[in-house]
């Protein structure tokens, strides 16, 4: 807080006391000696010229925080993929810095990057019997820490793919790496360099389950009680492959904003869905896949990075919306999934912008311009 202090002019009348000089008789008639010390008087300062003794002008404290969010990140393969083409082989060949190399500068330029970690990071062999189990090695956490990923959601349908032991090891790995995470009743807070406290709460919402919805509701309140300045909720929901949120998603999303979340990030459909502005807050219904080791060559490779800058003035969150999307592809090549998300260019960039506007149009009053900036669409505006 910068203070500007104006010093006032302090006028004082100073009276100095002294002795009169003696007059000697053996000298010519001396002229009267004037006691200049006692004769001096100070003219009064006009009242209008006096300034206050002090005056403080305070500038408002302004802090901004930039959030980046992406969709499903599976940092490992399924149990059925051959080593020669799966995530493990790419890690062994190229190392941990390979996977986010195409977007690292984006992550490093923000204050907080959030991913949905849709796998466990564990050496557990306690595989739960299901069609697709997703697991990476514990050391794969370096893929996130070396690319400025500060937080993740664990509220998804692959959290228990390797039992309680797999989940427990994953949580331990994240804690040791300093990555905050949300999962059901577990909430977390990340504090930025400027002192803004960002809270994360997350739960799977694949069915209309009141218990899991209450994890979000109660988690938001808990984060506020802990002093979170900003609360991000993450929900795993919707129908795989569907570009439009269902009624349950929209109803729950509105409830979550009403409960006090400042931003809602959705995952699970593996494709992009639209974005809605509700009561001044942004809802991203699905950000699709991102760095996704669970599929060697998905048909849909379009994805996007969501960015939003929040401004606080004297601790109060402002209502302005400064947000954008960065169109991306989940792979740097079209022929397969090489697990390296890359910023889209040219016609691919334009197509993703157009698609996001189309996906959002039926229920939202926002649109994205060709640069990806989110704007409010007036009635009758063309997309």
């Amino acid at each position: 807080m910068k203070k500007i202090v104006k010093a006032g002019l302090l006028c004082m009348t100073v009276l100095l006391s002294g002795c009169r000089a003696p007059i000697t008789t053996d000298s010519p008639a001396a002229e009267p000696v004037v006691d200049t010390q006692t004769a001096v008087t100070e003219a009064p300062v006009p009242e209008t010229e006096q300034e206050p003794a002090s005056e403080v002008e305070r500038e408002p404290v302004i802090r901004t925080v930039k959030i980046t969010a992406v969709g499903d990140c599976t940092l490992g393969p399924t149990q059925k993929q051959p080593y020669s083409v799966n995530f493990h082989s790419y890690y062994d060949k190229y190392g941990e810095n390979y996977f986010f190399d195409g977007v690292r500068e984006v992550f490093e330029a923000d204050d907080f990057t959030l991913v949905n970690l849709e796998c466990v990071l564990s050496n557990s062999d306690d595989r739960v019997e299901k069609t697709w189990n997703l697991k990476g090695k514990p050391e794969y956490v370096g893929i996130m820490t070396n690319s400025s990923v500060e937080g993740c959601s664990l509220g998804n349908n692959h959290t228990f793919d390797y039992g309680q032991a797999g989940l427990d090891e994953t949580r331990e790995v994240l804690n040791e790496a300093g990555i905050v995470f949300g999962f059901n009743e577990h909430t977390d807070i990340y504090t930025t360099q400027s002192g803004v406290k960002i809270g994360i709460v997350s739960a799977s919402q694949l069915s209309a389950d009141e218990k899991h919805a209450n994890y979000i509701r109660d988690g938001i309140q808990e984060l506020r009680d802990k002093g979170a300045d900003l609360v991000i909720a993450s929900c795993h929901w919707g129908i795989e492959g569907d570009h439009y949120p269902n009624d349950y998603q929209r109803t729950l999303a509105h409830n979550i904003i009403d409960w006090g979340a400042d931003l809602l990030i959705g995952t699970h459909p593996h494709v992009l869905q639209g974005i809605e502005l509700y009561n001044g807050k942004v809802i991203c219904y699905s950000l699709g896949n991102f760095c996704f080791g669970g599929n060697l060559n998905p048909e849909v490779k379009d994805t996007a990075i969501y960015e939003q800058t929040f401004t606080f003035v004297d601790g109060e969150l402002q209502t302005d919306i400064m947000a954008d999307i960065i169109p991306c592809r989940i792979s740097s090549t079209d022929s397969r999934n090489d697990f390296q998300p890359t910023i889209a260019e040219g016609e691919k960039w334009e197509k993703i912008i157009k698609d996001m506007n189309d996906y959002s149009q039926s229920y939202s009053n926002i649109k994205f311009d060709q640069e990806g900036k989110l704007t409010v669409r007036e009635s009758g505006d063309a997309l």
Side-chain angles (χ1 to χ4, degrees):
M1 179 171 61
K2 183 178 179 182
K3 293 185 178 179
I4 302 174
V5 179
K6 294 183 178 178
L9 176 62
L10 182 60
C11 297
M12 300 178 61
T13 301
V14 180
L15 299 178
L16 303 176
S17 62
C19 298
R20 184 181 298 274
I23 302 175
T24 60
T25 57
D26 58 345
S27 59
E31 295 182 358
V33 178
V34 178
D35 188 345
T36 57
Q37 293 180 341
T38 58
V40 174
T41 59
E42 189 167 330
V45 178
E47 187 174 336
T48 56
E49 295 181 6
Q50 297 184 13
E51 297 184 10
S54 64
E55 180 181 331
V56 177
E57 292 183 0
R58 190 185 67 81
E59 295 181 354
V61 177
I62 300 175
R63 293 183 296 175
T64 61
V65 58
K66 188 175 185 179
I67 303 296
T68 296
V70 298
D72 297 333
C73 289
T74 300
L75 306 183
T78 72
Q79 76 277 21
K80 298 180 180 181
Q81 295 171 356
Y83 171 81
S84 60
V85 291
N86 73 8
F87 195 94
H88 291 321
S89 67
Y90 276 82
Y91 184 92
D92 293 343
K93 184 175 181 179
Y94 300 111
E96 62 188 15
N97 290 332
Y98 162 82
F99 299 95
F100 287 134
D101 189 57
V103 295
R104 185 174 295 107
E105 289 186 359
V106 176
F107 292 175
E108 291 177 342
D110 65 17
D111 297 288
F112 182 76
T113 300
L114 177 69
V115 307
N116 176 51
L117 184 62
E118 193 166 22
C119 66
V120 298
L121 300 177
S122 172
N123 290 316
S124 172
D125 292 324
D126 186 20
R127 186 177 72 83
V128 175
E129 190 60 37
K130 57 190 299 188
T131 303
W132 310 112
N133 298 75
L134 304 175
K135 181 178 73 169
K137 298 178 181 180
E139 56 265 35
Y140 290 4
V141 72
I143 296 171
M144 294 187 284
T145 56
N146 282 4
S147 295
S148 192
V149 174
E150 291 84 12
C152 70
S153 161
L154 291 183
N156 57 68
N157 58 319
H158 290 279
T159 307
F160 288 100
D161 277 8
Y162 286 81
Q164 187 65 47
L167 172 59
D168 290 344
E169 187 172 6
T170 302
R171 296 175 66 152
E172 181 180 351
V173 165
L174 294 173
N175 283 327
E176 290 180 354
I179 295 177
V180 302
F181 64 90
F183 175 62
N184 291 352
E185 69 271 21
H186 175 87
T187 62
D188 228 333
I189 290 180
Y190 176 84
T191 304
T192 69
Q193 290 184 351
S194 64
V196 176
K197 294 182 178 180
I198 303 170
I200 174 69
V201 57
S202 167
S204 177
Q205 306 288 341
L206 290 179
S207 61
D209 186 333
E210 183 178 357
K211 177 182 178 181
H212 285 78
N214 289 345
Y215 284 141
I216 301 291
R217 182 199 63 192
D218 297 343
I220 292 170
Q221 185 60 55
E222 178 180 289
L223 288 167
R224 294 299 185 192
D225 292 342
K226 291 180 178 179
D229 300 300
L230 196 68
V231 173
I232 303 174
S234 179
C235 290
H236 206 66
W237 56 9
I239 301 171
E240 293 188 12
D242 195 336
H243 290 288
Y244 298 90
N246 57 36
D247 292 341
Y248 172 68
Q249 284 176 266
R250 294 203 61 213
T251 298
L252 180 58
H254 292 180
N255 287 340
I256 290 172
I257 298 300
D258 291 339
W259 291 335
D262 298 303
L263 173 64
L264 176 53
I265 303 296
T267 57
H268 177 67
H270 301 300
V271 296
L272 291 168
Q273 292 185 348
I275 292 178
E276 181 180 6
L277 184 62
Y278 171 76
N279 282 354
K281 309 293 184 178
V282 174
I283 301 165
C284 300
Y285 282 105
S286 173
L287 291 178
N289 291 331
F290 199 68
C291 182
F292 194 73
N295 192 325
L296 298 178
N297 193 19
E299 180 180 354
V300 178
K301 295 184 176 65
D302 290 347
T303 186
I305 298 171
Y306 176 78
E307 295 183 319
Q308 184 170 350
T309 298
F310 297 86
T311 301
F312 294 85
V313 177
D314 289 338
E316 293 293 326
L317 180 61
Q318 303 303 290
T319 58
D320 58 313
I321 302 294
M322 297 176 58
D324 62 83
I325 58 170
I326 301 176
C328 295
R329 301 275 287 172
I330 68 168
S331 174
S332 67
T333 179
D334 291 336
S335 61
R336 65 185 185 283
N337 184 5
D338 64 4
F339 318 118
Q340 190 180 66
T342 305
I343 296 175
E345 296 180 346
E347 292 181 358
K348 292 177 181 177
W349 173 290
E350 294 174 0
K351 176 184 179 298
I352 294 171
I353 294 290
K354 180 181 182 303
D355 287 345
M356 287 298 289
N357 283 331
D358 289 343
Y359 302 152
S360 306
Q361 182 179 15
S362 63
Y363 56 82
S364 180
N365 66 335
I366 63 95
K367 66 176 180 179
F368 297 97
D369 65 19
Q370 287 305 306
E371 299 300 318
K373 181 181 178 182
L374 184 152
T375 60
V376 177
R377 176 167 52 90
E378 300 296 334
S379 179
D381 279 0
L383 294 176

